[in-house]
Amino acid sequence: MTDPAVAPLELTHVQIDEASHGHGVPLVRVTLPGTTTPVWLATRYDVVKAALGDTRFVRDLARVPGAQGGGVGAELLDDAGLPPEYRQYLEILVMVDGPEHTRLRTHVMRAFAPRRISALRPRIERIVQDVTGELAAKGDQFDLLSAFAYPVMTDVICEIIGVDAADRPKVSGWIRDYESGEPDRFLPGIDHLAEYIGELLDLRGPAPREDLVSDLLRSSAAASEGQRLTRQEMIALVFLLINTGIAPPAFFITDAVLTLLDHPQEAARLRAERDLLPRAVQELLRHVSAVRVGATLYATEDVQLGGVLVRQGRASRAVCSPPTATREPSTTPRGSTSHARRRAGPGTSPTGTARTAASAPRSPTSRPR
């Protein structure tokens, strides 16, 4: 077991995917963009899987004995200029553990039951056909992200949430304002969207529909005392779902198309063998991901992870990187490349690894060279 005290690598966003290259170790000491606290970056599949399945790692720093402060997540939000009163919209469901996470997730997952999502397939197909039809009428060149991916994903998540068609352009605009990171845009974007969600809750209360907002209201009303959602929790949950339901899938669509353009033989195979498409989507989810590093996990006690001692509390943080782990050759053949014929292996989808592990190194928490 090792407990290295070497100076951490200071990573840029571009370098996160390649952080483990050349180190030959399961955990790499780094500082992430926008932070000063060193973390352990886990990029090897077996280590990521072990961290995600180990109950000694938690997302809520308050559950670590003797821990103080807000942790790496708070540093990132401070760097983004997000005031504390806005953080509920990013932290709900993502930064909680145990019974509290189960309580929140139970209400949300009822709206994402397989039967409900399957029933949406015809509507989603019509959305895609409408957008592609409009693009075809305009000519042979367009911006894939802004002209196709964003409109499609906005309509899809708004269909699930229950946002009327007339309101979807402004909802998309508020999300784009929030994602801009510009001080005069991103806070107003949150304010406008949160206010709109509150109004939507007020409308669906007396007149429910078959949508997620109505499902949250019904689920909360039927829950026992202590399991119900507050109004603010509902607003934050819907905000989180709209935010994560538009940008990450839109980026995945564009990255997936770019990957196929970089692999013309795979693209030609998919055109010729359309029955490979479902498998190809799973393969592309493994190969490309908008989630470079997930929410931090903290060690509640000293833990040996991949032969490295991850220490309890503020002095140690560890973070898992799903993209590099799922491209590892030991996990899937030709792990660093996309292959449409490959069957998805257990645990290879980023949806199963989009959490992170966190702990504190013994060396001083100073930003390295």
Side-chain angles (χ1 to χ4, degrees):
M1 179 172 64
T2 61
D3 184 15
V6 297
L9 301 171
E10 184 176 355
L11 297 185
T12 66
H13 291 282
V14 175
Q15 292 170 322
I16 288 176
D17 267 357
E18 309 302 329
S20 66
H21 290 190
H23 296 279
V25 293
L27 297 175
V28 184
R29 288 274 314 282
V30 304
T31 54
L32 300 174
T35 70
T36 59
T37 303
V39 302
W40 289 113
L41 184 67
T43 57
R44 209 170 72 192
Y45 175 78
D46 61 328
V47 178
V48 171
K49 183 178 179 181
L52 297 177
D54 194 326
T55 58
R56 293 174 294 179
F57 287 109
V58 297
R59 301 188 227 189
D60 185 359
L61 182 59
R63 296 184 61 195
V64 178
Q68 298 179 353
V72 173
E75 284 190 57
L76 291 168
L77 296 177
D78 286 339
D79 184 69
L82 192 69
E85 62 268 25
Y86 288 88
R87 296 181 181 182
Q88 60 184 314
Y89 299 113
L90 277 72
E91 294 180 343
I92 191 167
L93 196 62
V94 178
M95 300 300 294
V96 293
D97 303 281
E100 180 65 3
H101 184 271
T102 300
R103 179 181 72 87
L104 295 170
R105 184 175 180 272
T106 297
H107 292 291
V108 172
M109 291 310 295
R110 288 174 182 170
F112 287 94
R115 184 177 61 180
R116 171 71 64 82
I117 299 303
S118 179
L120 283 171
R121 181 180 292 273
R123 175 60 184 148
I124 294 172
E125 290 175 347
R126 285 197 298 272
I127 289 171
V128 173
Q129 290 168 0
D130 290 344
V131 174
T132 53
E134 292 173 3
L135 292 174
K138 292 178 181 178
D140 59 354
Q141 293 187 5
F142 60 89
D143 185 294
L144 182 63
L145 180 62
S146 63
F148 177 80
Y150 263 111
V152 166
M153 295 317 307
T154 298
D155 273 357
V156 169
I157 195 62
C158 285
E159 189 80 16
I160 294 172
I161 297 293
V163 177
D164 290 336
D167 294 335
R168 294 175 187 180
K170 62 184 180 183
V171 168
S172 178
W174 293 330
I175 286 294
R176 299 292 289 273
D177 286 341
Y178 161 70
E179 291 170 354
S180 73
E182 299 173 11
D184 60 340
R185 291 180 61 193
F186 82 93
L187 291 181
I190 296 176
D191 288 333
H192 288 309
L193 188 53
E195 182 180 1
Y196 176 83
I197 295 169
E199 294 172 354
L200 199 57
L201 289 169
D202 293 337
L203 287 172
R204 294 293 186 269
R209 298 181 185 176
E210 288 301 313
D211 55 38
L212 184 139
V213 169
S214 301
D215 283 345
L216 287 180
L217 289 165
R218 282 190 290 256
S219 176
S220 183
S224 60
E225 189 68 28
Q227 298 299 309
R228 296 171 187 158
L229 294 171
T230 67
R231 176 182 175 85
Q232 195 55 44
E233 285 175 335
M234 290 186 195
I235 292 174
L237 282 170
V238 175
F239 180 96
L240 177 69
L241 292 169
I242 292 176
N243 180 30
T244 56
I246 295 177
F251 292 146
F252 166 72
I253 289 172
T254 53
D255 287 344
V257 171
L258 180 60
T259 298
L260 290 174
L261 292 175
D262 287 339
H263 297 79
Q265 291 181 338
E266 298 296 319
R269 183 176 292 116
L270 288 177
R271 292 190 187 99
E273 303 178 56
R274 303 298 291 272
D275 59 328
L276 290 177
L277 282 171
R279 190 184 303 174
V281 170
Q282 293 299 317
E283 172 68 0
L284 287 165
L285 281 168
R286 181 193 68 81
H287 187 70
V288 300
S289 174
V291 180
R292 295 296 181 253
V293 179
T296 306
L297 295 179
Y298 300 92
T300 57
E301 61 184 73
D302 289 358
V303 179
Q304 182 181 356
L305 182 63
V308 175
L309 181 64
V310 179
R311 292 194 175 275
Q312 170 191 314
R314 287 185 61 84
S316 281
R317 307 218 195 302
V319 187
C320 306
S321 176
T324 24
T326 54
R327 294 177 191 170
E328 187 184 342
S330 64
T331 305
T332 49
R334 296 168 58 192
S336 63
T337 63
S338 178
H339 186 39
R341 288 186 177 277
R342 177 166 36 227
R343 292 188 179 275
T348 58
S349 170
T351 57
T353 54
R355 292 177 64 197
T356 52
S359 74
R362 296 169 63 183
S363 56
T365 56
S366 58
R367 183 176 288 274
R369 66 185 187 281

